[in-house]
Amino acid sequence: MKVSSFLAASVLVWQSLLPVASHAQSQLNYTTSWIGNSFGFGDGKWVQQDVEAISVAPDGTVYTNAPWDESGSEIAAYRNGDKLAVAGSTHGWGNTGGDAIATNQTYLYAAMSIGNGKNGLVGADYPPRDQTWFGITRRSLANIAAGVPFAGGIGNSANATKNSFLLLNAVPTGTDAGIRGLAATSTELYVADTYGNRIVVLDAQTMQPLRSWSVTSPGRIAIDTDSTLWVIQGLRSPGGMGVAHYSANGALLSGTLALPASAIPTDVAIAPSGQILVADNGPMQQILVFNKLASGQTQQDVSIGTLSGIFHATKGETGPMRLNGVTGIGFDQSNNLYIAQNNFGPRPFGSGYTGDGTVLESYAFGTRSLNWHLHGLTFVDSAAFDPGSPSDVYTGSKHFTLDYSRPPGQEWSYKAYTMNRFDYPDDPSLHLPRNVRGSPMLRRINGNLYLYTLDMNAHYLAVYRFNPATDGEVAIPSGLLAQNPVPGGWPAGQPTYGEWMWRDINGDGHVDASEITGNPSTGSTVGNGFYWVDTHGNIWQATPVSGIREMPLQGFDPVGNPIYQYSASKMFPMPQPFTRIARIVYIARTDTMYISGFTAAVPWDSAHWKEAGPVLARYDNWTSGTPSMQYAISLPWSTQTAPQVTPVGVAVAGNYIFVAELYTPKVDVYDARTGQPVGYMTPGANVGNTSGWVDIYLGISAVQRANGEYVVALEDDARAKILMYRWTP
């Protein structure tokens, strides 16, 4: 079809139709549920995201620290599989959590930082321009939300932690000077000043310095029964990490642990038996155990955990002692071992991103039997349903199974982690913004499952294939479509400008320069477009102002990778009434295209770069004839209210369209046949009647089950979960 005839038809249809009224007045009859967090928040609890460090009290209370939790639970307390408390005052107004934590009988000490909000926060509580403070917050163990001030303490004069922050490093903004290790007795606090290459000893009561000694980029610290210290060191020395033995005064002692060559130590703990345990985030993914010999030396014993952890045998499959990215270990007085994991390991230096979900577990040390576990697994992530099985749900890197007969919040089980950083270090998700996968689309093509994922801002579309015989549950990197070069120099061989694609021609999951193809027809960047993959595996790309491009699937190569070619692309011009396209959903079975975006009446502006736009339209016969617009819906749009009311995500399933609002916890439902509003859904009491902002372009998905029930999955960053609605019309 010619461009002119397409535009003419669109204009005629648009002129003959008035936008359908947007506001659905009735709340639907539905059930609220969730996926990926052990708590829903209806009870005021949630498992924080990406735990970076733990300290275990004798009674089994586990104190945690993370640089960031969306709802301010950077520092928290758990016991017996329950959440006890949130510390607070480590989130917002310049504050963040950190990478280390310690307790004694009286106090909690936690690493944290204070910034100035890009120079927007001023006064004695904040660092001067272009500077960040790194140090330690001291809290009362009886109430971890209450700071315990001391002479020289600063910060947070307007809250309960006033003057309880010890400034250790004041550095230029962008410099990572975070504390990476803490350990405490009743009288002394040992601090790993990683940035300053030293161990600092403070008086636990006055927080005044007592002594210090030089150690190369130290990390976690464990205090042995004889008051000597085991210190992980060399954190900034690739290949030079180890665990050294020091006296409390800094004298280097014998008995340095002989770690396997592949080991990457992340934490160290002393068992009640006196054994020394070292968490290993190398490919073995185990906890190394060392016995002390009479000679003063140490000898490695049988390690804890399955060899290769979660990547043993059926790769990616979860289960007890199948470890993945251990960030913290510790013991209580009853010989229980506690393990914190975030699926990555410790936060890389200079990175604000801290992992890919929390797994917190307790085991009986003697029998290795699981006592309890907790999960907080998703952040800046959405969910998609397997087209062949609505009981299987995938996020960017997780596979959940659903038992719809169970009560709300209990339907889900964590089945697998689908990203293998050891076998596939070139997985695009490890190099794109945030370094984790998100925004999944699942497609069954010729019976085979394929995963397509978008980054947070929809600039890159990654393609993954599955081969259960060789890789179990792991999604194997297969391809990447990029609107522009990836910042940071990865991968080698990408164009310096313009869009490009990669296909894993040799099947090894690594990006070779010879496998990269630029777009010879444009040699330009698309910029701020949006990708959609239809059920046949065809890729649709909505450019903001140039229309929609289809990249038909050209078949599969011998490895099983989908083949796409720029030369095979087809371009569809911008249809009326749109002046800028934000989202598309193409239903191949009916040749129906749904488009949302901006119009001349409500034009796009940069303040609303993330939104799906104020208008959504349906077009029939998109590829098979003359496209005809059936209706246009005026979506909820009010930018002058507080909060603003704007849509951010669109999903279509069966006979209904589901539209997620960005700042307001609401999903609007429309009849896909007529465009008429049907009703709306908001979070129920079991999730605290609230959810977080939808932060990504593809934050909502939906499926119709065989029994007629619709299941809607929605990103909920606020409480590290996927919000789920179940509705039967």
Side-chain angles (χ1 to χ4, degrees):
M1 181 185 61
K2 295 181 179 179
V3 171
S4 58
S5 61
F6 181 100
L7 290 174
S10 297
V11 171
L12 288 173
V13 173
W14 170 245
Q15 291 175 341
S16 65
L17 293 173
L18 292 175
V20 175
S22 65
H23 300 293
Q25 300 299 323
S26 60
Q27 189 165 7
L28 301 175
N29 183 16
Y30 58 92
T31 299
T32 305
S33 188
W34 72 90
I35 300 170
N37 201 293
S38 297
F39 307 108
F41 188 62
D43 50 8
K45 303 172 184 177
W46 73 99
V47 177
Q48 74 205 82
Q49 65 195 56
D50 306 337
V51 166
E52 190 76 8
I54 64 172
S55 177
V56 183
D59 67 354
T61 302
V62 183
Y63 297 94
T64 59
N65 195 0
W68 182 263
D69 177 78
E70 191 77 2
S71 290
S73 183
E74 285 82 8
I75 300 171
Y78 303 84
R79 187 171 64 235
N80 294 329
D82 195 10
K83 187 169 186 177
L84 305 182
V86 172
S89 300
T90 54
H91 187 90
W93 295 104
N95 294 336
T96 64
D99 307 285
I101 192 167
T103 54
N104 58 20
Q105 299 91 330
T106 308
Y107 302 121
L108 177 151
Y109 309 89
M112 67 171 289
S113 67
I114 300 178
N116 55 30
K118 298 181 179 179
N119 298 325
L121 301 172
V122 296
D125 283 342
Y126 305 106
R129 289 182 61 84
D130 304 320
Q131 195 178 95
T132 300
W133 292 340
F134 289 90
I136 302 161
T137 178
R138 185 172 75 171
R139 308 296 180 90
S140 166
L141 210 60
N143 176 15
I144 63 174
V148 182
F150 49 87
I154 60 174
N156 294 292
S157 60
N159 62 47
T161 66
K162 178 181 179 180
N163 294 339
S164 62
F165 174 77
L166 176 69
L167 171 59
L168 197 69
N169 290 314
V171 297
T173 297
T175 302
D176 188 344
I179 307 303
R180 293 288 180 132
L182 291 169
T185 68
S186 59
T187 59
E188 294 186 330
L189 174 64
Y190 296 87
V191 181
D193 179 2
T194 315
Y195 176 77
N197 292 298
R198 59 179 182 158
I199 298 291
V200 178
V201 186
L202 306 173
D203 185 295
Q205 303 298 324
T206 67
M207 298 295 283
Q208 298 303 305
L210 299 176
R211 58 191 181 276
S212 66
W213 65 91
S214 296
V215 176
T216 302
S217 53
R220 299 295 168 77
I221 305 169
I223 303 174
D224 210 334
T225 53
D226 60 1
S227 298
T228 62
L229 309 177
W230 297 92
V231 180
I232 296 176
Q233 58 187 33
L235 267 60
R236 290 181 177 270
S237 305
M241 295 181 66
V243 181
H245 194 196
Y246 292 92
S247 74
N249 290 317
L252 186 62
L253 304 175
S254 61
T256 299
L257 304 182
L259 303 179
S262 65
I264 301 175
T266 59
D267 201 6
V268 57
I270 308 300
S273 63
Q275 292 171 300
I276 308 162
L277 274 65
V278 178
D280 175 15
N281 195 40
M284 291 192 297
Q285 289 293 294
Q286 292 181 302
I287 298 173
L288 310 177
V289 180
F290 294 87
N291 299 320
K292 301 171 189 171
L293 304 179
S295 63
Q297 300 301 309
T298 61
Q299 183 180 59
Q300 189 172 350
D301 203 337
V302 177
S303 298
I304 297 171
T306 305
L307 181 63
S308 302
I310 203 170
F311 303 113
H312 176 79
T314 304
K315 296 180 180 181
E317 188 175 63
T318 62
M321 286 294 176
R322 292 175 65 86
L323 306 179
N324 186 21
V326 175
T327 57
I329 54 176
F331 284 91
D332 65 16
Q333 63 187 4
S334 300
N335 206 32
N336 293 307
L337 171 64
Y338 298 82
I339 306 173
Q341 305 160 70
N342 69 4
N343 296 311
F344 267 15
R347 177 180 64 86
F349 285 99
S351 171
Y353 306 119
T354 59
D356 198 15
T358 289
V359 178
L360 188 61
E361 298 179 320
S362 170
Y363 292 91
F365 183 55
T367 63
R368 311 293 198 261
S369 57
L370 180 68
N371 295 324
W372 53 263
H373 62 209
L374 293 173
H375 294 115
L377 293 170
T378 66
F379 178 66
V380 193
D381 200 356
S382 54
F385 299 89
D386 182 346
S389 172
S391 295
D392 287 275
V393 178
Y394 288 72
T395 65
S397 60
K398 319 292 188 312
H399 177 191
F400 298 100
T401 57
L402 300 181
D403 180 350
Y404 289 107
S405 67
R406 294 180 59 81
Q410 299 179 31
E411 298 103 326
W412 66 275
S413 297
Y414 180 27
K415 183 174 183 179
Y417 184 74
T418 64
M419 184 160 55
N420 189 333
R421 62 192 181 280
F422 297 104
D423 285 353
Y424 303 113
D426 256 2
D427 187 322
S429 299
L430 298 172
H431 303 274
L432 298 178
R434 286 207 70 249
N435 306 122
V436 296
R437 290 197 206 138
S439 299
M441 290 176 275
L442 282 170
R443 301 295 181 254
R444 289 274 177 183
I445 309 171
N446 297 333
N448 298 317
L449 185 64
Y450 289 87
L451 172 68
Y452 296 79
T453 66
L454 289 174
D455 68 293
M456 183 177 181
N457 296 318
H459 291 166
Y460 307 97
L461 177 69
V463 187
Y464 300 88
R465 61 186 175 89
F466 291 86
N467 187 342
T470 61
D471 287 76
E473 289 273 352
V474 169
I476 305 167
S478 176
L480 178 70
L481 282 79
Q483 296 181 28
N484 40 55
V486 179
W490 178 96
Q494 69 173 326
T496 57
Y497 180 78
E499 58 180 337
W500 57 276
M501 72 170 72
W502 163 70
R503 176 163 54 89
D504 185 31
I505 295 172
N506 62 12
D508 64 359
H510 296 272
V511 180
D512 301 319
S514 61
E515 298 172 333
I516 293 174
T517 303
N519 186 349
S521 63
T522 65
S524 64
T525 179
V526 174
N528 298 314
F530 177 77
Y531 291 101
W532 174 262
V533 183
D534 69 28
T535 55
H536 298 317
N538 304 313
I539 294 174
W540 296 83
Q541 186 178 22
T543 70
V545 297
S546 301
I548 299 172
R549 181 172 62 185
E550 179 192 9
M551 298 185 68
L553 177 65
Q554 301 296 296
F556 298 89
D557 65 19
V559 176
N561 301 309
I563 300 173
Y564 300 99
Q565 296 173 344
Y566 288 116
S567 60
S569 299
K570 305 175 183 177
M571 199 69 197
F572 296 80
M574 178 79 68
Q576 289 288 330
F578 295 102
T579 55
R580 186 180 181 97
I581 298 175
R583 303 289 188 275
I584 56 174
V585 176
Y586 177 68
I587 308 300
R589 179 178 56 83
T590 58
D591 193 24
T592 305
M593 178 67 79
Y594 297 87
I595 300 175
S596 74
F598 298 82
T599 67
V602 186
W604 178 84
D605 68 273
S606 59
H608 299 96
W609 55 272
K610 186 188 300 185
E611 275 82 346
V615 173
L616 184 147
R618 169 184 160 176
Y619 301 84
D620 286 357
N621 306 314
W622 182 258
T623 65
S624 58
T626 300
S628 59
M629 187 174 69
Q630 301 304 299
Y631 53 76
I633 303 170
S634 292
L635 299 176
W637 190 266
S638 177
T639 60
Q640 304 304 311
T641 56
Q644 296 183 24
V645 179
T646 58
V648 68
V650 178
V652 179
N655 293 324
Y656 296 93
I657 305 168
F658 303 89
V659 177
E661 297 182 13
L662 198 165
Y663 303 108
T664 39
K666 188 177 179 184
V667 172
D668 301 289
V669 184
Y670 302 88
D671 191 310
R673 295 160 292 190
T674 65
Q676 292 294 327
V678 175
Y680 65 87
M681 299 183 288
T682 59
N686 60 349
V687 295
N689 298 305
T690 190
S691 64
W693 294 356
V694 178
D695 278 336
I696 53 180
Y697 283 53
L698 194 64
I700 186 171
S701 66
V703 70
Q704 183 183 17
R705 298 177 60 206
N707 64 358
E709 180 184 55
Y710 287 83
V711 186
V712 180
L714 190 70
E715 176 200 28
D716 184 4
D717 288 349
R719 302 295 181 311
K721 68 178 184 291
I722 301 294
L723 188 64
M724 184 167 69
Y725 294 114
R726 299 177 58 179
W727 170 60
T728 301

